[in-house]
Amino acid sequence: MADAPADDEAATQAREHIEIGPQRVRVLPGASETAASFEFEGEDHTLGNALRYMIMKNPEVEFCGYSIPHPSEAKMNVRIQTYEGTTVYDALEKGFDDLADLCDVVTEKFTEARDAFVAREHE
């Protein structure tokens, strides 16, 4: 395929230069499209509780819970069960997107409040 468009060549070169770290999440055995457990390496209650909360806000999710299997291991398991019509993978992705959006709002509000405080202090 010597006549590949320039865009394809650029995309191929970009993929060759992207460094991807070690895989930090895996699907545990026994998963289906509507029920699965995920294991996250290097995560704890900080992400677990926030992610569980955001996923449970999705009306297409029947259940979401997380656990830390053992305190001496840096692993967190998240279990998601969805109603028919959506997959656990979509629910997990939406949970991460919603959590990122929430973090953006918190950062914005904090920055506004800090700037207002600094302005009042310099008056």
Side-chain angles (χ1 to χ4, degrees):
M1 194 165 182
D3 298 316
D7 289 342
D8 288 346
E9 285 181 33
T12 300
Q13 288 175 352
R15 281 193 299 271
E16 290 172 358
H17 297 298
I18 294 174
E19 291 184 32
I20 299 174
Q23 183 175 340
R24 294 187 51 210
V25 62
R26 71 183 183 105
V27 180
L28 296 176
S32 70
E33 290 294 308
T34 59
S37 294
F38 302 89
E39 180 181 77
F40 292 82
E41 291 282 338
E43 297 298 340
D44 59 15
H45 294 285
T46 304
L47 178 64
N49 197 37
L51 185 59
R52 179 204 57 80
Y53 176 77
M54 295 308 290
I55 292 172
M56 280 304 299
K57 289 182 63 109
N58 182 345
E60 297 174 339
V61 173
E62 181 177 10
F63 171 82
C64 182
Y66 82 97
S67 66
I68 306 296
H70 195 278
S72 68
E73 293 182 44
K75 293 181 182 180
M76 173 194 65
N77 294 340
V78 174
R79 173 76 177 174
I80 303 172
Q81 290 175 218
T82 62
Y83 296 109
E84 293 295 326
T86 191
T87 69
V88 292
Y89 308 104
D90 292 340
L92 181 62
E93 184 174 359
K94 181 176 179 357
F96 276 124
D97 290 343
D98 291 349
L99 185 56
D101 291 345
L102 178 63
C103 290
D104 290 343
V105 169
V106 169
T107 300
E108 180 182 313
K109 295 293 184 182
F110 173 81
T111 303
E112 289 172 5
R114 182 201 59 208
D115 292 347
F117 175 78
V118 170
R120 281 193 310 271
E121 290 294 310
H122 285 59
E123 288 180 354

PDB file of all heavy atoms in Angstrom, residues 19-41:
ATOM      1  N   GLU A  19       4.066   6.603  24.003  1.00  0.00           N
ATOM      2  CA  GLU A  19       4.509   5.666  25.026  1.00  0.00           C
ATOM      3  C   GLU A  19       3.329   5.334  25.922  1.00  0.00           C
ATOM      4  O   GLU A  19       2.726   6.214  26.515  1.00  0.00           O
ATOM      5  CB  GLU A  19       5.635   6.271  25.847  1.00  0.00           C
ATOM      6  CG  GLU A  19       6.913   6.429  25.064  1.00  0.00           C
ATOM      7  CD  GLU A  19       8.047   6.946  25.925  1.00  0.00           C
ATOM      8  OE1 GLU A  19       8.076   6.641  27.126  1.00  0.00           O
ATOM      9  OE2 GLU A  19       8.890   7.667  25.370  1.00  0.00           O
ATOM     10  N   ILE A  20       3.013   4.076  25.989  1.00  0.00           N
ATOM     11  CA  ILE A  20       1.909   3.627  26.827  1.00  0.00           C
ATOM     12  C   ILE A  20       2.502   2.878  28.007  1.00  0.00           C
ATOM     13  O   ILE A  20       3.308   1.966  27.830  1.00  0.00           O
ATOM     14  CB  ILE A  20       0.932   2.732  26.036  1.00  0.00           C
ATOM     15  CG1 ILE A  20       0.337   3.536  24.883  1.00  0.00           C
ATOM     16  CG2 ILE A  20      -0.146   2.184  26.936  1.00  0.00           C
ATOM     17  CD1 ILE A  20      -0.527   2.735  23.953  1.00  0.00           C
ATOM     18  N   GLY A  21       2.106   3.292  29.199  1.00  0.00           N
ATOM     19  CA  GLY A  21       2.615   2.666  30.412  1.00  0.00           C
ATOM     20  C   GLY A  21       2.029   1.280  30.600  1.00  0.00           C
ATOM     21  O   GLY A  21       1.268   0.778  29.769  1.00  0.00           O
ATOM     22  N   PRO A  22       2.365   0.668  31.701  1.00  0.00           N
ATOM     23  CA  PRO A  22       1.838  -0.671  31.979  1.00  0.00           C
ATOM     24  C   PRO A  22       0.316  -0.635  32.146  1.00  0.00           C
ATOM     25  O   PRO A  22      -0.248   0.367  32.581  1.00  0.00           O
ATOM     26  CB  PRO A  22       2.523  -1.072  33.288  1.00  0.00           C
ATOM     27  CG  PRO A  22       2.943   0.211  33.909  1.00  0.00           C
ATOM     28  CD  PRO A  22       3.202   1.168  32.780  1.00  0.00           C
ATOM     29  N   GLN A  23      -0.310  -1.718  31.785  1.00  0.00           N
ATOM     30  CA  GLN A  23      -1.768  -1.813  31.909  1.00  0.00           C
ATOM     31  C   GLN A  23      -2.135  -1.769  33.382  1.00  0.00           C
ATOM     32  O   GLN A  23      -1.632  -2.550  34.180  1.00  0.00           O
ATOM     33  CB  GLN A  23      -2.263  -3.102  31.280  1.00  0.00           C
ATOM     34  CG  GLN A  23      -3.761  -3.236  31.311  1.00  0.00           C
ATOM     35  CD  GLN A  23      -4.235  -4.479  30.566  1.00  0.00           C
ATOM     36  OE1 GLN A  23      -3.526  -5.009  29.747  1.00  0.00           O
ATOM     37  NE2 GLN A  23      -5.432  -4.909  30.876  1.00  0.00           N
ATOM     38  N   ARG A  24      -3.050  -0.867  33.751  1.00  0.00           N
ATOM     39  CA  ARG A  24      -3.415  -0.700  35.157  1.00  0.00           C
ATOM     40  C   ARG A  24      -4.811  -1.183  35.474  1.00  0.00           C
ATOM     41  O   ARG A  24      -5.235  -1.118  36.616  1.00  0.00           O
ATOM     42  CB  ARG A  24      -3.280   0.771  35.536  1.00  0.00           C
ATOM     43  CG  ARG A  24      -1.826   1.228  35.476  1.00  0.00           C
ATOM     44  CD  ARG A  24      -1.620   2.615  35.991  1.00  0.00           C
ATOM     45  NE  ARG A  24      -2.226   2.775  37.289  1.00  0.00           N
ATOM     46  CZ  ARG A  24      -2.709   3.920  37.742  1.00  0.00           C
ATOM     47  NH1 ARG A  24      -2.653   4.998  37.004  1.00  0.00           N
ATOM     48  NH2 ARG A  24      -3.256   3.994  38.935  1.00  0.00           N
ATOM     49  N   VAL A  25      -5.536  -1.641  34.473  1.00  0.00           N
ATOM     50  CA  VAL A  25      -6.887  -2.144  34.723  1.00  0.00           C
ATOM     51  C   VAL A  25      -7.083  -3.409  33.899  1.00  0.00           C
ATOM     52  O   VAL A  25      -6.591  -3.517  32.785  1.00  0.00           O
ATOM     53  CB  VAL A  25      -7.964  -1.085  34.386  1.00  0.00           C
ATOM     54  CG1 VAL A  25      -7.937  -0.695  32.927  1.00  0.00           C
ATOM     55  CG2 VAL A  25      -9.339  -1.552  34.783  1.00  0.00           C
ATOM     56  N   ARG A  26      -7.761  -4.362  34.528  1.00  0.00           N
ATOM     57  CA  ARG A  26      -8.077  -5.586  33.789  1.00  0.00           C
ATOM     58  C   ARG A  26      -9.469  -6.051  34.191  1.00  0.00           C
ATOM     59  O   ARG A  26      -9.952  -5.762  35.288  1.00  0.00           O
ATOM     60  CB  ARG A  26      -7.050  -6.681  34.024  1.00  0.00           C
ATOM     61  CG  ARG A  26      -7.075  -7.296  35.393  1.00  0.00           C
ATOM     62  CD  ARG A  26      -5.962  -8.339  35.552  1.00  0.00           C
ATOM     63  NE  ARG A  26      -6.040  -8.978  36.841  1.00  0.00           N
ATOM     64  CZ  ARG A  26      -6.491 -10.207  37.048  1.00  0.00           C
ATOM     65  NH1 ARG A  26      -6.872 -10.942  36.027  1.00  0.00           N
ATOM     66  NH2 ARG A  26      -6.533 -10.715  38.261  1.00  0.00           N
ATOM     67  N   VAL A  27     -10.100  -6.763  33.271  1.00  0.00           N
ATOM     68  CA  VAL A  27     -11.415  -7.332  33.526  1.00  0.00           C
ATOM     69  C   VAL A  27     -11.199  -8.683  34.186  1.00  0.00           C
ATOM     70  O   VAL A  27     -10.445  -9.517  33.675  1.00  0.00           O
ATOM     71  CB  VAL A  27     -12.211  -7.488  32.205  1.00  0.00           C
ATOM     72  CG1 VAL A  27     -13.577  -8.082  32.482  1.00  0.00           C
ATOM     73  CG2 VAL A  27     -12.333  -6.151  31.494  1.00  0.00           C
ATOM     74  N   LEU A  28     -11.842  -8.888  35.304  1.00  0.00           N
ATOM     75  CA  LEU A  28     -11.692 -10.153  36.024  1.00  0.00           C
ATOM     76  C   LEU A  28     -12.525 -11.244  35.355  1.00  0.00           C
ATOM     77  O   LEU A  28     -13.517 -10.957  34.670  1.00  0.00           O
ATOM     78  CB  LEU A  28     -12.094  -9.970  37.481  1.00  0.00           C
ATOM     79  CG  LEU A  28     -11.200  -9.000  38.276  1.00  0.00           C
ATOM     80  CD1 LEU A  28     -11.723  -8.806  39.688  1.00  0.00           C
ATOM     81  CD2 LEU A  28      -9.764  -9.485  38.314  1.00  0.00           C
ATOM     82  N   PRO A  29     -12.154 -12.501  35.534  1.00  0.00           N
ATOM     83  CA  PRO A  29     -12.886 -13.606  34.897  1.00  0.00           C
ATOM     84  C   PRO A  29     -14.367 -13.622  35.280  1.00  0.00           C
ATOM     85  O   PRO A  29     -14.748 -13.206  36.372  1.00  0.00           O
ATOM     86  CB  PRO A  29     -12.182 -14.856  35.440  1.00  0.00           C
ATOM     87  CG  PRO A  29     -10.833 -14.397  35.867  1.00  0.00           C
ATOM     88  CD  PRO A  29     -11.004 -12.974  36.313  1.00  0.00           C
ATOM     89  N   GLY A  30     -15.185 -14.109  34.358  1.00  0.00           N
ATOM     90  CA  GLY A  30     -16.618 -14.231  34.602  1.00  0.00           C
ATOM     91  C   GLY A  30     -17.426 -13.047  34.120  1.00  0.00           C
ATOM     92  O   GLY A  30     -18.613 -12.939  34.428  1.00  0.00           O
ATOM     93  N   ALA A  31     -16.821 -12.167  33.350  1.00  0.00           N
ATOM     94  CA  ALA A  31     -17.505 -10.952  32.909  1.00  0.00           C
ATOM     95  C   ALA A  31     -18.470 -11.230  31.770  1.00  0.00           C
ATOM     96  O   ALA A  31     -18.264 -12.125  30.962  1.00  0.00           O
ATOM     97  CB  ALA A  31     -16.472  -9.919  32.455  1.00  0.00           C
ATOM     98  N   SER A  32     -19.549 -10.442  31.750  1.00  0.00           N
ATOM     99  CA  SER A  32     -20.480 -10.443  30.623  1.00  0.00           C
ATOM    100  C   SER A  32     -20.682  -8.983  30.225  1.00  0.00           C
ATOM    101  O   SER A  32     -20.105  -8.079  30.829  1.00  0.00           O
ATOM    102  CB  SER A  32     -21.803 -11.098  31.014  1.00  0.00           C
ATOM    103  OG  SER A  32     -22.517 -10.274  31.921  1.00  0.00           O
ATOM    104  N   GLU A  33     -21.513  -8.747  29.245  1.00  0.00           N
ATOM    105  CA  GLU A  33     -21.761  -7.373  28.786  1.00  0.00           C
ATOM    106  C   GLU A  33     -22.483  -6.537  29.842  1.00  0.00           C
ATOM    107  O   GLU A  33     -22.340  -5.322  29.873  1.00  0.00           O
ATOM    108  CB  GLU A  33     -22.576  -7.385  27.491  1.00  0.00           C
ATOM    109  CG  GLU A  33     -21.803  -7.893  26.296  1.00  0.00           C
ATOM    110  CD  GLU A  33     -20.652  -6.986  25.903  1.00  0.00           C
ATOM    111  OE1 GLU A  33     -20.876  -5.781  25.728  1.00  0.00           O
ATOM    112  OE2 GLU A  33     -19.522  -7.494  25.790  1.00  0.00           O
ATOM    113  N   THR A  34     -23.247  -7.192  30.724  1.00  0.00           N
ATOM    114  CA  THR A  34     -24.030  -6.439  31.706  1.00  0.00           C
ATOM    115  C   THR A  34     -23.565  -6.629  33.145  1.00  0.00           C
ATOM    116  O   THR A  34     -24.167  -6.064  34.063  1.00  0.00           O
ATOM    117  CB  THR A  34     -25.523  -6.822  31.616  1.00  0.00           C
ATOM    118  OG1 THR A  34     -25.660  -8.216  31.854  1.00  0.00           O
ATOM    119  CG2 THR A  34     -26.107  -6.454  30.259  1.00  0.00           C
ATOM    120  N   ALA A  35     -22.523  -7.416  33.356  1.00  0.00           N
ATOM    121  CA  ALA A  35     -21.990  -7.605  34.709  1.00  0.00           C
ATOM    122  C   ALA A  35     -20.509  -7.957  34.614  1.00  0.00           C
ATOM    123  O   ALA A  35     -20.138  -8.915  33.949  1.00  0.00           O
ATOM    124  CB  ALA A  35     -22.743  -8.715  35.435  1.00  0.00           C
ATOM    125  N   ALA A  36     -19.687  -7.153  35.280  1.00  0.00           N
ATOM    126  CA  ALA A  36     -18.254  -7.411  35.243  1.00  0.00           C
ATOM    127  C   ALA A  36     -17.579  -6.785  36.456  1.00  0.00           C
ATOM    128  O   ALA A  36     -18.076  -5.820  37.035  1.00  0.00           O
ATOM    129  CB  ALA A  36     -17.633  -6.857  33.964  1.00  0.00           C
ATOM    130  N   SER A  37     -16.432  -7.357  36.797  1.00  0.00           N
ATOM    131  CA  SER A  37     -15.572  -6.798  37.834  1.00  0.00           C
ATOM    132  C   SER A  37     -14.262  -6.384  37.183  1.00  0.00           C
ATOM    133  O   SER A  37     -13.727  -7.098  36.344  1.00  0.00           O
ATOM    134  CB  SER A  37     -15.307  -7.822  38.934  1.00  0.00           C
ATOM    135  OG  SER A  37     -16.499  -8.118  39.626  1.00  0.00           O
ATOM    136  N   PHE A  38     -13.768  -5.234  37.596  1.00  0.00           N
ATOM    137  CA  PHE A  38     -12.530  -4.686  37.065  1.00  0.00           C
ATOM    138  C   PHE A  38     -11.525  -4.553  38.203  1.00  0.00           C
ATOM    139  O   PHE A  38     -11.896  -4.154  39.306  1.00  0.00           O
ATOM    140  CB  PHE A  38     -12.765  -3.303  36.458  1.00  0.00           C
ATOM    141  CG  PHE A  38     -13.783  -3.299  35.355  1.00  0.00           C
ATOM    142  CD1 PHE A  38     -15.128  -3.121  35.638  1.00  0.00           C
ATOM    143  CD2 PHE A  38     -13.401  -3.468  34.041  1.00  0.00           C
ATOM    144  CE1 PHE A  38     -16.078  -3.106  34.632  1.00  0.00           C
ATOM    145  CE2 PHE A  38     -14.341  -3.460  33.016  1.00  0.00           C
ATOM    146  CZ  PHE A  38     -15.676  -3.281  33.316  1.00  0.00           C
ATOM    147  N   GLU A  39     -10.273  -4.861  37.926  1.00  0.00           N
ATOM    148  CA  GLU A  39      -9.212  -4.697  38.922  1.00  0.00           C
ATOM    149  C   GLU A  39      -8.318  -3.543  38.478  1.00  0.00           C
ATOM    150  O   GLU A  39      -7.805  -3.538  37.359  1.00  0.00           O
ATOM    151  CB  GLU A  39      -8.382  -5.974  39.035  1.00  0.00           C
ATOM    152  CG  GLU A  39      -7.262  -5.858  40.049  1.00  0.00           C
ATOM    153  CD  GLU A  39      -6.441  -7.132  40.111  1.00  0.00           C
ATOM    154  OE1 GLU A  39      -5.616  -7.339  39.196  1.00  0.00           O
ATOM    155  OE2 GLU A  39      -6.647  -7.906  41.050  1.00  0.00           O
ATOM    156  N   PHE A  40      -8.152  -2.562  39.361  1.00  0.00           N
ATOM    157  CA  PHE A  40      -7.323  -1.399  39.094  1.00  0.00           C
ATOM    158  C   PHE A  40      -6.046  -1.502  39.924  1.00  0.00           C
ATOM    159  O   PHE A  40      -6.113  -1.618  41.151  1.00  0.00           O
ATOM    160  CB  PHE A  40      -8.059  -0.108  39.464  1.00  0.00           C
ATOM    161  CG  PHE A  40      -9.231   0.196  38.576  1.00  0.00           C
ATOM    162  CD1 PHE A  40     -10.460  -0.404  38.806  1.00  0.00           C
ATOM    163  CD2 PHE A  40      -9.096   1.067  37.522  1.00  0.00           C
ATOM    164  CE1 PHE A  40     -11.545  -0.125  37.987  1.00  0.00           C
ATOM    165  CE2 PHE A  40     -10.170   1.352  36.695  1.00  0.00           C
ATOM    166  CZ  PHE A  40     -11.401   0.752  36.927  1.00  0.00           C
ATOM    167  N   GLU A  41      -4.902  -1.439  39.270  1.00  0.00           N
ATOM    168  CA  GLU A  41      -3.605  -1.466  39.962  1.00  0.00           C
ATOM    169  C   GLU A  41      -3.273  -0.060  40.461  1.00  0.00           C
ATOM    170  O   GLU A  41      -3.484   0.924  39.756  1.00  0.00           O
ATOM    171  CB  GLU A  41      -2.501  -1.922  39.006  1.00  0.00           C
ATOM    172  CG  GLU A  41      -2.583  -3.362  38.598  1.00  0.00           C
ATOM    173  CD  GLU A  41      -2.077  -4.316  39.669  1.00  0.00           C
ATOM    174  OE1 GLU A  41      -1.300  -3.886  40.544  1.00  0.00           O
ATOM    175  OE2 GLU A  41      -2.467  -5.484  39.622  1.00  0.00           O
TER     176      GLU A  41
END
